[in-house]
Amino acid sequence: MSDKVDKQNLVYDKITLMNNLSYYVSYSRRYTYPDDPNLDAIHIHDNYEIYYHISGKASFFVNNAVYSLKPGDMIITSPGDVHVYIPDDKTDAEHFCLWFDKGCGRELLPFLSKDDYCGKVSFDNDDIEILKTIFSELYNNREDTTNLRKLSGILRICLMIDEKAIAEKNDSSVIPPNIKEIVEYIDRNKTDICNMSEVAEIFNISISTLNRWFKKHVGLSPQELLNAKRISYAKKLLDEGKSVTECSIWAGFSDCSYFISVFKKRFGITPYQYKKKKIGAKK
């Protein structure tokens, strides 16, 4: 047998995926309803999130769209995405959440960078039970569950999502077109809007109508959405090394004290504490 190897028959590759993979998983089942005071309405994370809906009459606001949820639906969000869980009625809500750190999320969820990804993927029949089993194993974290099995479960979830995301090109948002137009306007002009009366005037409606529409279809007020968009942008600026004052001005807050107050209410720490924590984590 010859010692020579025909290099045309070899494929060289190097996979750097899973370098220091960190993940977090949570499970929740509880009774909730519209205007539930115990429900944290607005979410803005530093991580990638996979929300897996098991039961409950609800919708989800993300990426300026609203999606009705049915069992087996997933919402996948990137760091900084403003997203809101909206109970549609009194309901027994059940779900899993899986988060990845920024470093590996881009590798695990590559479809998020595609322009035609709509924010939601749907599973049915056998896939629902398979996913529930995998999420349960990750959440229960039994002593006999090896790291290899955990990694296998995470990769299988991401592969199933990737295959569905490629297949599902349609945008199934249920937000009315006129309200979506206003949401997108607020997003585009978040740093320049002075007040909501200005927005209402541009769209030739009253401020009370604007608030009523948002409450019904978006799950939060237009001012709450504006603040959330600004806070998300301010966090991005803080991550880039900008000062608290610069972030306040560039994100559209006319008063730095108000910016600090809104930021602390949302995240439990001041912008300065957040920035200091980020700098410490990089050392």
Side-chain angles (χ1 to χ4, degrees):
M1 181 176 180
S2 174
D3 292 333
K4 294 182 179 180
V5 177
D6 184 354
K7 291 187 178 180
Q8 290 183 344
N9 293 330
L10 298 179
V11 176
Y12 295 93
D13 198 2
K14 182 180 181 181
I15 300 176
T16 56
L17 186 68
M18 303 299 101
N19 183 28
N20 297 320
L21 169 63
S22 295
Y23 74 91
Y24 316 86
V25 61
S26 70
Y27 169 77
S28 174
R29 181 176 181 179
R30 72 183 188 87
Y31 183 79
T32 189
Y33 51 91
D35 299 322
D36 183 349
N38 297 315
L39 191 65
D40 186 13
I42 301 172
H43 294 257
I44 306 170
H45 302 309
D46 290 331
N47 303 324
Y48 291 86
E49 177 185 288
I50 298 173
Y51 169 92
Y52 182 49
H53 187 72
I54 299 173
S55 67
K57 298 177 181 179
S59 302
F60 214 106
F61 172 86
V62 64
N63 295 332
N64 299 335
V66 177
Y67 302 100
S68 293
L69 296 176
K70 67 180 187 301
D73 283 349
M74 280 188 186
I75 301 290
I76 299 94
T77 56
S78 300
D81 284 349
V82 176
H83 50 290
V84 182
Y85 174 84
I86 310 167
D88 293 341
D89 201 348
K90 296 178 180 179
T91 189
D92 181 13
E94 184 179 9
H95 71 269
F96 283 100
C97 273
L98 179 62
W99 294 274
F100 300 115
D101 285 347
K102 286 183 180 180
C104 54
R106 294 185 185 93
E107 299 290 342
L108 289 167
L109 306 166
F111 55 85
L112 288 173
S113 62
K114 296 180 179 180
D115 293 337
D116 56 0
Y117 171 66
C118 71
K120 184 185 83 170
V121 293
S122 301
F123 297 91
D124 50 31
N125 302 327
D126 294 339
D127 285 344
I128 291 179
E129 295 306 317
I130 291 171
L131 287 164
K132 283 175 67 174
T133 298
I134 298 172
F135 274 102
S136 296
E137 287 185 352
L138 292 172
Y139 176 71
N140 291 325
N141 195 24
R142 298 182 326 209
E143 292 183 1
D144 60 343
T145 304
T146 64
N147 287 338
L148 180 60
R149 186 170 180 83
K150 293 174 187 176
L151 179 58
S152 174
I154 290 171
L155 291 177
R156 189 169 187 190
I157 289 173
C158 292
L159 182 59
M160 291 173 72
I161 295 171
D162 190 62
E163 291 172 346
K164 280 288 185 178
I166 292 172
E168 295 183 2
K169 302 295 186 182
N170 62 308
D171 186 340
S172 57
S173 175
V174 296
I175 190 171
N178 59 329
I179 300 175
K180 184 175 178 62
E181 184 181 1
I182 300 173
V183 169
E184 290 176 343
Y185 175 85
I186 291 173
D187 189 20
R188 289 194 309 271
N189 299 278
K190 55 183 172 288
T191 61
D192 300 317
I193 294 171
C194 294
N195 54 61
M196 282 302 121
S197 295
E198 168 192 317
V199 176
E201 184 176 351
I202 289 172
F203 288 91
N204 197 30
I205 56 175
S206 68
I207 188 67
S208 60
T209 297
L210 179 64
N211 284 316
R212 187 174 68 254
W213 283 358
F214 267 64
K215 187 68 173 178
K216 179 179 179 180
H217 296 287
V218 182
L220 66 165
S221 73
Q223 186 63 53
E224 287 173 328
L225 176 63
L226 176 62
N227 285 345
K229 294 286 187 178
R230 285 174 169 173
I231 286 294
S232 177
Y233 183 51
K235 282 186 71 178
K236 180 176 180 293
L237 295 174
L238 286 168
D239 291 341
E240 294 173 355
K242 302 296 188 297
S243 71
V244 173
T245 301
E246 286 175 323
C247 292
S248 173
I249 295 171
W250 292 6
F253 290 94
S254 58
D255 184 283
C256 190
S257 297
Y258 179 63
F259 163 60
I260 294 171
S261 174
V262 172
F263 192 99
K264 186 175 182 180
K265 183 178 180 180
R266 172 54 32 207
F267 301 112
I269 57 176
T270 66
Y272 177 76
Q273 290 170 328
Y274 172 83
K275 183 177 180 180
K276 191 174 180 181
K277 185 177 178 180
K278 281 286 183 178
I279 293 173
K282 292 179 180 179
K283 291 181 178 179

